[in-house]
Amino acid sequence: MKMENQSIVSEFLLLGLPIEPDQRDLFYALFLAMYLTTVLGNLLIILLIHLDSHLHTPMYFFLSNLSFSDLCFSSVTMPELLQNMQSQVPSIPYAGCLTQMYFFLFFADLESLLLVAMSYDRYVAICFPLHYTTIMSPKLCFSLLALSWMQTTFNALLHTLLMARLCFCADNVIPHFFCDMSALLKLSCSDTRVNELVIYFMGGLNLVIPFLLIITSYGRILFSILKVPSSGGVRKAFSTCGSHLSVVSLFYGTVIVLYLCPSADNSAVKETVMSMMYTVVTPMLNPFIYSLRNRDMKGALGRVFRKKIFFG
């Protein structure tokens, strides 16, 4: 395209979700309820782990950070979505779009790496219970967390800087409810081959490898428990791994299909619905699956309330 036919894009228009006008208020209330559930559920987990000394263990250390990541991950997209559902012109400035993309990538990758750390913690706890406190030392836990933050910062910054060098022509309509990286690449009138190559390479490091490590950890857990010839051991295996793996599969499955296995058959509507699964549904479900069904968390909740009532 010739330079005279190009124009500088100062903002993008977000088409949002394919919702009929007469159903907009209903879906607005639904998404608002889902977002509030996500915020309150994850805040409750963080507060309980902070207030109850019984939960000051490696497992709940990673869980509190996962809740913080879920809270921020959902907050990157949901407030913008809710605002745009009530707006006549759902636009976002160019700088705001790149900022949203950066934090979206940051917290998505952080969640991925935290899930790996949690699976490793459970692997050590179940397969090497006598050495658990030695292996999962505070130094190792903080090192894993620091490594996760550094890796996600580098990855998100790399993708954002590569996106910032691209030119965008007259078309500024994003068929999505947030500034999705793949949707932005489709709008660019520059050569995006470098961006696509980095997506595949970094996606393998931050998504595929962590997913394989998680599956390996839970596979070893399952194998270790099944060696005990008892029905209780089998029930414990499914209780430990089943619910966790369902969320892991939901999160990684949709992300890998969208970004690493793109298909020409994927319509904008289909991609938007799949994105909702890991940006909205997964952060909302994590508090229930990882914590609120947990006996330790229920006990902590009871102790905190009793202490509050007792001390007035």
Side-chain angles (χ1 to χ4, degrees), residues 3 9 19 21 31 38-40 49 61 75 93 107 116 138 164 185 210 252 269 285 294 298 301:
M3 290 299 295
V9 172
I19 300 173
F31 292 138
T38 301
V39 171
L40 294 176
I49 294 174
F61 170 76
S75 298
F107 288 111
V116 176
L185 289 178
Y252 283 100
V269 174
L285 291 180
N294 185 292
K298 291 180 180 179
L301 184 63

Side-chain angles (χ1 to χ4, degrees), residues 44-220:
L44 177 61
I45 292 171
I46 295 171
L47 288 174
L48 286 178
I49 294 174
H50 175 73
L51 294 175
D52 196 296
S53 60
H54 295 86
L55 301 181
H56 294 174
T57 63
M59 172 183 172
Y60 293 105
F61 170 76
F62 290 122
L63 183 56
S64 64
N65 281 276
L66 180 69
S67 294
F68 173 76
S69 178
D70 281 333
L71 176 61
C72 295
F73 186 41
S74 183
S75 298
V76 170
T77 57
M78 286 301 290
E80 185 75 24
L81 170 63
L82 293 170
Q83 178 183 342
N84 288 339
M85 291 182 71
Q86 299 295 313
S87 174
Q88 298 296 326
V89 184
S91 63
I92 182 171
Y94 174 82
C97 189
L98 291 185
T99 301
Q100 186 186 55
M101 191 191 82
Y102 171 83
F103 284 108
F104 177 85
L105 293 171
F106 179 88
F107 288 111
D109 289 335
L110 182 61
E111 175 147 346
S112 174
L113 297 179
L114 286 173
L115 288 173
V116 176
M118 292 177 67
S119 67
Y120 178 70
D121 172 80
R122 292 299 84 203
Y123 165 69
V124 174
I126 293 176
C127 298
F128 305 98
L130 298 179
H131 303 283
Y132 176 74
T133 55
T134 303
I135 297 175
M136 298 303 297
S137 63
K139 181 179 179 180
L140 177 63
C141 294
F142 281 108
S143 297
L144 290 174
L145 181 62
L147 182 62
S148 299
W149 277 74
M150 288 189 292
Q151 173 64 19
T152 54
T153 300
F154 171 77
N155 183 62
L157 188 60
L158 175 62
H159 286 298
T160 305
L161 291 176
L162 288 175
M163 187 66 70
R165 73 183 180 87
L166 300 180
C167 295
F168 294 90
C169 303
D171 188 7
N172 68 336
V173 178
I174 301 177
H176 221 303
F177 64 93
F178 68 96
C179 289
D180 180 62
M181 184 166 53
S182 61
L184 284 172
L185 289 178
K186 293 176 183 177
L187 293 182
S188 175
C189 49
S190 302
D191 186 353
T192 61
R193 285 178 294 182
V194 174
N195 297 68
E196 293 166 0
L197 183 62
V198 172
I199 287 174
Y200 283 110
F201 179 74
M202 297 303 294
L205 290 178
N206 293 285
L207 291 174
V208 178
I209 292 178
F211 178 68
L212 294 177
L213 290 174
I214 291 173
I215 295 300
T216 301
S217 296
Y218 284 119
R220 295 289 297 272

